Amino acid sequence: MPFGSLSVSNVAIPQYAPPYPVDGCDFTSETVLTVTYQTSLLCVRHLVPNMLELEDEPQVSVMIVQHNMTSFGPYNEYVHSVKVKYNGNTFDYFLSLILDNDSPVLCGREQFGFPKKLGNVTLASKTGSTVVRGYVERPIGQKIVEVGFEPKQKVKGPVETTIQGLNLRVIPSAVSGQSPSIKELVPVDISMEASEVWQGSGSICFPEPSMFDPMHEVKVLRYVSATLLRNASLAIPLPTKVFQL
């Protein structure tokens, strides 16, 4: 019997039509809205792997991003993360990401371990008020997160920053009862540049909580900061190492 002729390589499956690139990701973003707050240990501890350290009042960030163009095409994205320590180093551990494009969902989960799901993410700058408003729906019609931002002052730009992120990447075994085929922590650096930066006041609420995406459990104790970046450029290079568990 003849064999297939497709040579297996380091691209995503299906290999005859890979759904995402595997050589890093680039993003041009119209708006990046970030609200940072502190929560209690009790509110977030059960969502964080047991090898990661937390403060008594961990710092949490919520982001809503409008990507004009990326390596996967345009899309909107919601990101929820918490500060942790691993081996003495501080990272933003990603708790939840929801977005409206299947290609970065597949790439983020399979290659980098981002906990991504499909949903609806909206960010509106023109609201008839001073407030920029964003919200997340999953499923569509159920608003599980709402984010508000009131600009106060423009910061001299441009600005450059790097988020040192960390993901838990787990690929379950296809064999029942076996250990995961892959279990590792993946450090990811997200570099950002923006020509325009605004500081202001932020607000986060969870109007229609969902146990399927329980970010409402990460309650706000006090707000830390809120910023809005415009005309931003983001990049995620390939990691140079992973931490096997």
Side-chain angles (χ1 to χ4, degrees), residues 15 67 151 194-195 232 243:
Q15 294 226 318
H67 296 302
S195 62
F243 305 114

Side-chain angles (χ1 to χ4, degrees), residues 45-56:
R45 190 178 191 179
H46 61 295
L47 303 174
V48 176
N50 59 10
M51 74 290 299
L52 303 180
E53 298 178 71
L54 290 159
E55 299 287 346
D56 291 335

